[in-house]
Every structure is written in C-alpha cells, then in structure tokens.
C-alpha cells in the first residue's frame, strides 16, 4: 500500500483506484485457497471490518 501511495504522487483518486484493484486481486487469491466454511467466515470478517471502519470515520468527522 505504501508503494501504491508513492506511485500515485499525491493523486488521491489514482491512489484509491490502485488500492481498490490491489484489494480485489488479493481477495480473489485468498478466496481461491479457502473452503466454503472459510469463505463464509472470511466474508463475515470483511463485513465486520467494513462496519468498524465506517464507525471510525463517522467518529472522525467522516474521514475528511
């Protein structure tokens, strides 16, 4: 992620796009290795993490 930030050169949109792509690629690799039960647990974990991040951003004034 640090390299992606550096490569974006301060362009937040480019940085975000690169990070989204990287996360999607990592997610696909992870899912390819998991069995069905693990995939369910992984999906639940991702949703919990997403909600926690959302709450953190709300507590910080929306992350802006």
């Amino acid at each position: 992620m640090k390299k992606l930030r550096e490569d974006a050169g301060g362009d937040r949109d480019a940085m975000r796009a690169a990070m989204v792509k990287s996360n999607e690629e990592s997610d696909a690799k992870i899912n390819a290795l998991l069995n069905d039960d693990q995939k369910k647990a992984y999906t639940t974990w991702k949703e919990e993490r997403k909600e926690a991040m959302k709450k953190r951003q709300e507590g910080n004034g929306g992350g802006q």
Side-chain angles (χ1 to χ4, degrees):
M1 291 299 171
K2 183 178 179 182
K3 178 157 177 27
L4 293 175
R5 283 187 205 101
E6 291 170 357
D7 290 349
D11 181 350
R12 293 181 63 86
D13 290 333
M15 179 177 59
R16 184 178 188 288
M19 287 184 178
V20 166
K21 181 180 177 190
S22 176
N23 287 337
E24 288 172 351
E25 290 170 353
S26 295
D27 196 52
K29 289 177 185 177
I30 290 168
N31 274 308
L33 299 173
L34 302 178
N35 65 37
D36 289 340
D37 290 335
Q38 292 170 326
K39 286 177 185 178
K40 289 176 189 174
Y42 180 59
T43 299
T44 300
W45 173 78
K46 287 191 308 182
E47 289 299 320
E48 290 171 354
R49 196 176 106 205
K50 184 178 178 180
E51 286 299 316
M53 188 180 347
K54 196 176 194 180
K55 287 180 182 178
R56 260 194 327 270
Q57 286 179 341
E58 289 170 359
N60 290 332
Q64 307 218 355

